[in-house]
Amino acid sequence: MPIPLLSGTGATGVPLTVHASYSREEILPALGQADIGGFLPGDFREGVKWCEAAKTDALLITLEKDEKDFSPQTRYRDFALSETRFHWESQNQTSATSPTGLRYQHHVEQGSQVLLFVRRYKTTDIGGAQPWMLLGPARYEKHESSKPMAITWKLEHPIPADVLTYAKAVAAG
């Protein structure tokens, strides 16, 4: 059964469904960052986008990072800890005291939300971009270190079993 983003998460008016898959070209317009079929911001290649109008941090996470697509500096360790907890590393320049780091830590009090999107690989078997699955809204739980911050997010909805299997396997590999 589809799980729409509900107003309790701060996602009122965001036309996305939890556990559905989306392309970058669908995610950005849904978060007010572009028009469908229009220009897409170039600063979204990092997989992190603060969407001011929607008061949303969109975290687009590729779990299995191939050396040909990701530099050693961007092969962040992102993986599921359990069906409702996710370990994510911020961008290298994000410290716990930076505006972005503080927004991650205090998003609930500030009235913003964090949405986690995951995909296993960057590309499909036939070469196109693999879509991301929206795991849903997440709440900051804790972090360790800085530049990058290693954040534990608590998801509002359990990760589907098939995704959980490969999302946890990344940590072992």
Side-chain angles (χ1 to χ4, degrees):
M1 179 167 186
I3 307 168
L5 287 176
L6 301 173
S7 58
T9 65
T12 304
V14 176
L16 298 173
T17 301
V18 176
H19 299 157
S21 293
Y22 299 97
S23 69
R24 178 175 176 253
E25 292 77 18
E26 294 168 318
I27 294 167
L28 290 173
L31 295 173
Q33 296 302 296
D35 294 322
I36 294 175
F39 176 76
L40 295 173
D43 65 346
F44 200 55
R45 67 186 181 281
E46 290 89 8
V48 176
K49 183 68 177 166
W50 166 242
C51 306
E52 182 76 41
K55 294 196 74 164
T56 299
D57 272 292
L59 310 181
L60 278 78
I61 303 159
T62 300
L63 294 169
E64 297 194 28
K65 298 168 178 74
D66 190 303
E67 289 179 13
K68 70 178 172 37
D69 295 320
F70 295 87
S71 70
Q73 295 79 22
T74 61
R75 262 186 256 134
Y76 302 111
R77 294 189 31 82
D78 306 322
F79 53 88
L81 294 163
S82 71
E83 67 177 11
T84 57
R85 287 190 167 65
F86 197 91
H87 174 279
W88 175 79
E89 289 185 347
S90 71
Q91 293 174 294
N92 286 321
Q93 71 270 24
T94 305
S95 72
T97 57
S98 70
T100 300
L102 291 169
R103 189 176 66 239
Y104 292 154
Q105 295 170 72
H106 303 290
H107 70 95
V108 174
E109 304 95 275
Q110 294 173 355
S112 68
Q113 69 175 346
V114 175
L115 296 178
L116 266 61
F117 295 83
V118 300
R119 63 183 178 184
R120 186 169 187 177
Y121 305 108
K122 184 176 178 179
T123 57
T124 65
D125 292 341
I126 58 171
Q130 188 177 73
W132 286 271
M133 175 185 280
L134 172 57
L135 295 183
R139 289 182 180 254
Y140 170 86
E141 194 167 88
K142 65 179 183 174
H143 77 275
E144 297 174 358
S145 66
S146 193
K147 295 187 176 185
M149 294 172 67
I151 298 176
T152 298
W153 298 105
K154 182 166 182 9
L155 293 160
E156 288 186 18
H157 305 282
I159 299 171
D162 58 332
V163 177
L164 182 61
T165 300
Y166 65 75
K168 283 180 95 172
V170 173

